[in-house]
Amino acid sequence: MKRRAFLKTTTLAVGVATLSGCYKEEKIKSVNINRGKKVKLKLATSWPSHFPIMGTGVDEFAKRCLELSGGTLEIKVYPKNILVPALQVFDATSAGQIDIFHSGVYYWKGKNSAFSIFGGMPLGLLSDEMVTWLKFGGGMELWRELYAKFNLYPLIGGSTGPQMGGWFKKEIESLEDLKGLKMRIPGLGGEVMKRLGVNPILIPAGEIYTALERGTIDATEWVGPALDILMGFDRVAKYYYKGWHEPGSILEITFNKARWDKLSSEHKAIIETSSDAMTARMVEEFRYKNAEALQELIRKGVEIKSFPDEVVREAKEKLNGVLADESKRNPDFKRVLESYNRFVALNSPWSDISTKHILEIRG
Ligand code: CA
């Protein structure tokens, strides 16, 4: 009975062909459009206000939800540190203090190391392949099962596309050059670097430039040309290395689960559609803006470098060690990694003869 109260009667004017062949306006009476109960939700991000691509992506997501719902689903987006500190959005949403957060999955590896795999794998799947594993290969079910223990319900909230390997003040010509290097690099990539002799350091985004300039760190990774150029790293480090550690990082748009469960099926469908749209658009926007910014960086004299083969070979070895050790420590990690690896085994032969082949021959 309650539901009826939310039904709104809308009268539509439509053009109707009459027998005489002329169009005339007729009123169709009582077309009922269920726009659902008006819902207002608070979303906190880990990004500064209107942060390019990632932040504007979530702004557009909220706008799309409002438009598609005929104004009944209002999601207010709060930049970092307004409602809660940037890296407390997980706990605040889990506790129901806020309804939704938008962030990067690898930040929560301290809660459960298995989460880092949902965020992407060094030397692993690209963005579209990650999304395919999550949606069709069983990844999403595992992610939702593990997040449910924190009263959370995740959706894919965009992806960065392939990230760069980072900015280095000195060239890396051998494994030896990595020893003792101080580098800002988080996640599984950071673990691998640590085993290669690097001293991985985590510092907040706002402090990276100064740390690099003053030599507190020797190198840093960030995202890719489009966002790195805005940080000005090219002014303090000359060598820009091609990527390996974040080939397809996934972002998340995660709901307080109790809040999600109470949403109408219409609103859930609108949110799912809008998150799909956000993910596709973010990858497209990153691709375009990275391509533009790369040209600008090259014009500025930045040298694009590849890590030596022995570094890549050793990074693969160390990564396998990190994954094996973590699988022993954490059964969840083992289970998620097995799902991921099953998809990789399925996907690789097709990926090799399609995407990889075309990239190689098209020149
Ligand atoms: Ca990064």
Side-chain angles (χ1 to χ4, degrees):
M1 284 301 285
K2 268 186 181 173
R3 193 172 176 82
R4 286 192 66 82
F6 308 137
L7 298 178
K8 288 180 184 160
T9 300
T10 308
T11 305
L12 298 180
V14 294
V16 174
T18 63
L19 285 175
S20 65
C22 300
Y23 279 88
K24 70 172 190 179
E25 272 204 347
E26 278 199 354
K27 304 260 175 169
I28 296 177
K29 290 171 205 153
S30 301
V31 175
N32 291 325
I33 296 174
N34 178 13
R35 292 207 161 114
K37 185 182 175 185
K38 175 119 185 166
V39 171
K40 288 187 177 186
L41 300 172
K42 285 180 186 168
L43 184 156
T45 78
S46 297
W47 331 116
S49 181
H50 307 302
F51 188 61
I53 314 177
M54 281 134 83
T56 54
V58 76
D59 291 342
E60 281 165 18
F61 162 83
K63 189 163 165 260
R64 198 169 285 120
C65 286
L66 187 71
E67 285 171 353
L68 287 173
S69 67
T72 62
L73 179 58
E74 194 180 324
I75 296 174
K76 188 157 169 42
V77 177
Y78 294 88
K80 70 172 186 179
N81 304 339
I82 301 291
L83 294 182
V84 284
L87 298 187
Q88 280 177 27
V89 293
F90 183 104
D91 287 338
T93 308
S94 176
Q97 189 186 341
I98 49 175
D99 305 302
I100 319 166
F101 71 88
H102 187 247
S103 192
V105 194
Y106 62 56
Y107 288 132
W108 326 121
K109 67 174 184 170
K111 307 277 180 196
N112 186 337
S113 59
F115 295 167
S116 56
I117 304 174
F118 301 125
M121 178 67 75
L123 297 160
L125 297 175
L126 298 167
S127 291
D128 62 331
E129 296 172 315
M130 277 297 292
V131 171
T132 308
W133 166 55
L134 290 168
K135 284 192 177 177
F136 295 93
M140 212 66 225
E141 284 86 348
L142 282 170
W143 191 359
R144 287 186 178 151
E145 180 197 317
L146 296 178
Y147 262 35
K149 292 173 188 169
F150 294 87
N151 188 29
L152 292 171
Y153 184 87
L155 292 103
I156 302 170
S159 178
T160 62
Q163 297 200 14
M164 286 293 281
W167 297 85
F168 290 73
K169 294 181 108 165
K170 287 188 187 142
E171 263 189 274
I172 303 300
E173 291 177 296
S174 67
L175 275 168
E176 206 48 43
D177 290 338
L178 288 175
K179 303 268 187 300
L181 201 83
K182 294 190 288 292
M183 179 172 187
R184 184 264 177 200
I185 177 167
L188 287 167
E191 290 294 317
V192 172
M193 277 300 207
K194 196 170 170 182
R195 294 189 184 198
L196 291 174
V198 170
N199 181 10
I201 294 167
L202 276 187
I203 38 178
E207 294 166 27
I208 305 173
Y209 179 89
T210 312
L212 194 59
E213 186 187 31
R214 292 185 183 161
T216 315
I217 55 174
D218 308 301
T220 185
E221 72 84 51
W222 184 232
V223 184
L227 295 185
D228 292 11
I229 201 169
L230 303 175
M231 298 287 270
F233 295 139
D234 55 286
R235 293 198 294 272
V236 284
K238 186 177 169 191
Y239 304 106
Y240 196 21
Y241 275 79
K242 294 179 199 170
W244 65 279
H245 69 295
E246 288 188 86
S249 287
I250 294 290
L251 304 175
E252 63 184 315
I253 187 134
T254 291
F255 283 70
N256 172 279
K257 188 168 182 305
R259 199 76 192 80
W260 170 265
D261 289 343
K262 282 190 200 124
L263 290 172
S264 68
S265 56
E266 291 89 344
H267 282 167
K268 283 177 181 167
I270 287 167
I271 290 162
E272 282 161 356
T273 303
S274 301
S275 81
D276 280 349
M278 167 166 59
T279 299
R281 192 183 157 85
M282 203 181 288
V283 172
E284 292 151 11
E285 192 177 357
F286 260 117
R287 179 183 291 279
Y288 193 82
K289 291 188 173 163
N290 277 333
E292 275 187 326
L294 174 64
Q295 293 203 351
E296 179 62 19
L297 288 171
I298 290 169
R299 262 197 300 274
K300 288 172 146 195
V302 168
E303 280 192 40
I304 309 295
K305 307 292 287 184
S306 301
F307 286 111
D309 289 347
E310 67 166 11
V311 168
V312 177
R313 230 178 6 250
E314 198 60 20
K316 277 183 193 164
E317 284 281 311
K318 300 296 186 207
L319 174 66
N320 288 336
V322 169
L323 300 178
D325 290 351
E326 204 49 47
S327 291
K328 272 185 219 138
R329 256 195 296 269
N330 179 359
D332 287 340
F333 190 95
K334 184 166 182 279
R335 206 151 65 93
V336 177
L337 183 63
E338 281 168 357
S339 168
Y340 174 91
N341 283 338
R342 264 195 304 278
F343 176 71
V344 170
L346 176 75
N347 175 64
S348 289
W350 168 238
S351 198
D352 284 354
I353 66 156
S354 57
T355 316
K356 190 176 170 191
H357 167 71
I358 291 166
L359 287 175
E360 277 169 1
I361 63 165
R362 75 182 188 184

PDB file of all heavy atoms in Angstrom, residues 106 163 184 186 221-223 245-246 249, ligand 1:
ATOM      1  N   TYR A 106      43.299  -0.856  -3.339  1.00  0.00           N
ATOM      2  CA  TYR A 106      44.514  -1.322  -2.654  1.00  0.00           C
ATOM      3  C   TYR A 106      44.768  -0.616  -1.321  1.00  0.00           C
ATOM      4  O   TYR A 106      45.582  -1.070  -0.531  1.00  0.00           O
ATOM      5  CB  TYR A 106      45.740  -1.275  -3.564  1.00  0.00           C
ATOM      6  CG  TYR A 106      46.165   0.075  -4.082  1.00  0.00           C
ATOM      7  CD1 TYR A 106      46.451   1.137  -3.217  1.00  0.00           C
ATOM      8  CD2 TYR A 106      46.320   0.277  -5.441  1.00  0.00           C
ATOM      9  CE1 TYR A 106      46.860   2.353  -3.705  1.00  0.00           C
ATOM     10  CE2 TYR A 106      46.730   1.497  -5.937  1.00  0.00           C
ATOM     11  CZ  TYR A 106      46.998   2.539  -5.065  1.00  0.00           C
ATOM     12  OH  TYR A 106      47.400   3.751  -5.532  1.00  0.00           O
ATOM     13  N   GLN A 163      49.020   2.301 -15.873  1.00  0.00           N
ATOM     14  CA  GLN A 163      49.759   3.388 -15.225  1.00  0.00           C
ATOM     15  C   GLN A 163      51.235   3.300 -15.610  1.00  0.00           C
ATOM     16  O   GLN A 163      51.707   2.264 -16.069  1.00  0.00           O
ATOM     17  CB  GLN A 163      49.605   3.293 -13.700  1.00  0.00           C
ATOM     18  CG  GLN A 163      48.148   3.464 -13.261  1.00  0.00           C
ATOM     19  CD  GLN A 163      48.008   3.856 -11.795  1.00  0.00           C
ATOM     20  OE1 GLN A 163      48.968   4.256 -11.138  1.00  0.00           O
ATOM     21  NE2 GLN A 163      46.784   3.754 -11.281  1.00  0.00           N
ATOM     22  N   ARG A 184      58.417   6.297  -3.635  1.00  0.00           N
ATOM     23  CA  ARG A 184      57.017   6.286  -3.225  1.00  0.00           C
ATOM     24  C   ARG A 184      56.297   5.310  -4.152  1.00  0.00           C
ATOM     25  O   ARG A 184      56.164   5.561  -5.345  1.00  0.00           O
ATOM     26  CB  ARG A 184      56.425   7.705  -3.343  1.00  0.00           C
ATOM     27  CG  ARG A 184      55.004   7.828  -2.857  1.00  0.00           C
ATOM     28  CD  ARG A 184      54.004   7.709  -3.977  1.00  0.00           C
ATOM     29  NE  ARG A 184      52.631   7.774  -3.456  1.00  0.00           N
ATOM     30  CZ  ARG A 184      51.567   7.331  -4.107  1.00  0.00           C
ATOM     31  NH1 ARG A 184      51.684   6.791  -5.288  1.00  0.00           N
ATOM     32  NH2 ARG A 184      50.380   7.427  -3.568  1.00  0.00           N
ATOM     33  N   PRO A 186      52.999   2.310  -3.597  1.00  0.00           N
ATOM     34  CA  PRO A 186      52.170   1.510  -2.686  1.00  0.00           C
ATOM     35  C   PRO A 186      51.834   0.131  -3.262  1.00  0.00           C
ATOM     36  O   PRO A 186      52.286  -0.222  -4.353  1.00  0.00           O
ATOM     37  CB  PRO A 186      50.893   2.351  -2.590  1.00  0.00           C
ATOM     38  CG  PRO A 186      50.793   3.033  -3.917  1.00  0.00           C
ATOM     39  CD  PRO A 186      52.191   3.139  -4.480  1.00  0.00           C
ATOM     40  N   GLU A 221      56.109   6.813  -8.159  1.00  0.00           N
ATOM     41  CA  GLU A 221      55.091   6.522  -9.172  1.00  0.00           C
ATOM     42  C   GLU A 221      53.887   7.363  -8.795  1.00  0.00           C
ATOM     43  O   GLU A 221      53.725   7.781  -7.646  1.00  0.00           O
ATOM     44  CB  GLU A 221      54.784   5.020  -9.215  1.00  0.00           C
ATOM     45  CG  GLU A 221      53.990   4.492  -8.025  1.00  0.00           C
ATOM     46  CD  GLU A 221      52.500   4.675  -8.164  1.00  0.00           C
ATOM     47  OE1 GLU A 221      51.950   4.294  -9.199  1.00  0.00           O
ATOM     48  OE2 GLU A 221      51.851   5.206  -7.226  1.00  0.00           O
ATOM     49  N   TRP A 222      53.022   7.637  -9.774  1.00  0.00           N
ATOM     50  CA  TRP A 222      51.762   8.299  -9.447  1.00  0.00           C
ATOM     51  C   TRP A 222      50.680   7.627 -10.273  1.00  0.00           C
ATOM     52  O   TRP A 222      50.202   6.571  -9.909  1.00  0.00           O
ATOM     53  CB  TRP A 222      51.878   9.810  -9.663  1.00  0.00           C
ATOM     54  CG  TRP A 222      50.675  10.613  -9.284  1.00  0.00           C
ATOM     55  CD1 TRP A 222      50.023  11.527 -10.071  1.00  0.00           C
ATOM     56  CD2 TRP A 222      49.984  10.615  -8.039  1.00  0.00           C
ATOM     57  NE1 TRP A 222      48.969  12.067  -9.385  1.00  0.00           N
ATOM     58  CE2 TRP A 222      48.903  11.532  -8.140  1.00  0.00           C
ATOM     59  CE3 TRP A 222      50.141   9.923  -6.843  1.00  0.00           C
ATOM     60  CZ2 TRP A 222      48.010  11.765  -7.107  1.00  0.00           C
ATOM     61  CZ3 TRP A 222      49.257  10.145  -5.798  1.00  0.00           C
ATOM     62  CH2 TRP A 222      48.205  11.065  -5.946  1.00  0.00           C
ATOM     63  N   VAL A 223      50.334   8.154 -11.437  1.00  0.00           N
ATOM     64  CA  VAL A 223      49.308   7.489 -12.239  1.00  0.00           C
ATOM     65  C   VAL A 223      49.823   7.336 -13.683  1.00  0.00           C
ATOM     66  O   VAL A 223      50.390   6.321 -14.049  1.00  0.00           O
ATOM     67  CB  VAL A 223      47.964   8.263 -12.187  1.00  0.00           C
ATOM     68  CG1 VAL A 223      46.886   7.480 -12.945  1.00  0.00           C
ATOM     69  CG2 VAL A 223      47.507   8.475 -10.731  1.00  0.00           C
ATOM     70  N   HIS A 245      53.608  -2.101 -12.753  1.00  0.00           N
ATOM     71  CA  HIS A 245      52.998  -2.497 -11.465  1.00  0.00           C
ATOM     72  C   HIS A 245      51.501  -2.233 -11.394  1.00  0.00           C
ATOM     73  O   HIS A 245      50.824  -2.771 -10.527  1.00  0.00           O
ATOM     74  CB  HIS A 245      53.724  -1.825 -10.302  1.00  0.00           C
ATOM     75  CG  HIS A 245      53.502  -0.344 -10.228  1.00  0.00           C
ATOM     76  ND1 HIS A 245      53.948   0.513 -11.204  1.00  0.00           N
ATOM     77  CD2 HIS A 245      52.869   0.417  -9.314  1.00  0.00           C
ATOM     78  CE1 HIS A 245      53.604   1.741 -10.875  1.00  0.00           C
ATOM     79  NE2 HIS A 245      52.940   1.709  -9.740  1.00  0.00           N
ATOM     80  N   GLU A 246      50.961  -1.360 -12.263  1.00  0.00           N
ATOM     81  CA  GLU A 246      49.519  -1.109 -12.245  1.00  0.00           C
ATOM     82  C   GLU A 246      48.984  -1.069 -13.685  1.00  0.00           C
ATOM     83  O   GLU A 246      48.664  -0.008 -14.208  1.00  0.00           O
ATOM     84  CB  GLU A 246      49.204   0.208 -11.523  1.00  0.00           C
ATOM     85  CG  GLU A 246      49.411   0.136 -10.019  1.00  0.00           C
ATOM     86  CD  GLU A 246      48.912   1.381  -9.317  1.00  0.00           C
ATOM     87  OE1 GLU A 246      47.716   1.440  -8.998  1.00  0.00           O
ATOM     88  OE2 GLU A 246      49.717   2.305  -9.092  1.00  0.00           O
ATOM     89  N   SER A 249      44.441  -0.592 -12.910  1.00  0.00           N
ATOM     90  CA  SER A 249      43.915  -0.422 -11.545  1.00  0.00           C
ATOM     91  C   SER A 249      42.426  -0.093 -11.531  1.00  0.00           C
ATOM     92  O   SER A 249      41.960   0.784 -12.256  1.00  0.00           O
ATOM     93  CB  SER A 249      44.685   0.684 -10.822  1.00  0.00           C
ATOM     94  OG  SER A 249      45.963   0.203 -10.502  1.00  0.00           O
TER      95      SER A 249
HETATM   96 CA    CA B   1      49.727   4.538  -8.989  1.00  0.00          CA
END
